[in-house]
Amino acid sequence: MTTTWRHLPAPAREIAVSAAEAVAAVRRRDGRAYDEAVARLAAADQSGLVLGGVVRLLLEETHPDGLDGDDVRRVLERVARDGLQWLPDVDPHVLLVLLAGALGVYDPAGDESPPDPPAVARHAPLLVADLLTATGRPLDGYLAAALAEIERAERHD
């Protein structure tokens, strides 16, 4: 990780460090390191919000003209197929919920089985790692931007 997160409050720092470690583990296909990072993400309050913000930023950058159903399907299939090669419990429904949530079109009230925080923490880094590949940029800037957006939103509430 090129950015130091020392300036962040401890909860945000834990999310940033754990997310970076989870994404690095995805790239290495290191199941043990992934499980450890994901466990910390699942325990961190608001990690889903931060990771959702990162996914949204990455989707906006990789699809500047917007996403259509075919784009979503391609991302979903690519991430599920790649993840299932080394993680046996990848759930395409959770990936779809994360994509829809990042796009602002997911209604948890209409979902009979909305994913819980551990499922979100387990699947979001897979999406982030895949979308980062398309940008060729490091995760740090997206994490910083997502955290800044959340901070701005909290200040306005």
Side-chain angles (χ1 to χ4, degrees):
M1 182 168 7
T2 59
T3 299
T4 69
W5 302 105
R6 285 186 286 248
H7 68 284
L8 294 174
R13 187 172 52 244
E14 177 63 22
I15 293 169
V17 169
S18 298
E21 290 174 1
V23 169
V26 170
R27 290 179 169 161
R28 294 188 316 268
R29 293 185 177 207
D30 182 340
R32 183 172 171 218
Y34 189 68
D35 288 344
E36 291 171 6
V38 164
R40 290 193 314 276
L41 280 173
D45 189 36
Q46 296 195 351
S47 65
L49 182 62
V50 174
L51 291 168
V54 170
V55 170
R56 183 186 54 75
L57 291 167
L58 286 164
L59 288 170
E60 288 174 356
E61 184 168 334
T62 57
H63 299 85
D65 296 328
L67 279 89
D68 62 20
D70 288 336
D71 294 325
V72 171
R73 182 182 47 76
R74 278 191 292 276
V75 170
L76 179 64
E77 287 177 354
R78 190 176 59 234
V79 174
R81 190 177 309 115
D82 186 57
L84 283 168
Q85 291 179 11
W86 64 285
L87 292 172
D89 60 347
V90 172
D91 184 343
H93 173 72
V94 176
L95 293 170
L96 180 59
V97 166
L98 292 171
L99 284 168
L103 296 170
V105 296
Y106 174 67
D107 177 14
D111 189 346
E112 293 179 15
S113 59
D116 58 12
V120 169
R122 183 141 191 91
H123 289 76
L126 299 171
L127 276 170
V128 171
D130 177 80
L131 294 167
L132 277 172
T133 300
T135 68
R137 294 188 180 154
L139 174 61
D140 297 348
Y142 298 100
L143 274 170
L147 288 164
E149 284 182 9
I150 292 166
E151 182 182 21
R152 274 192 301 278
E154 287 177 352
R155 284 184 183 172
H156 292 294
D157 284 346

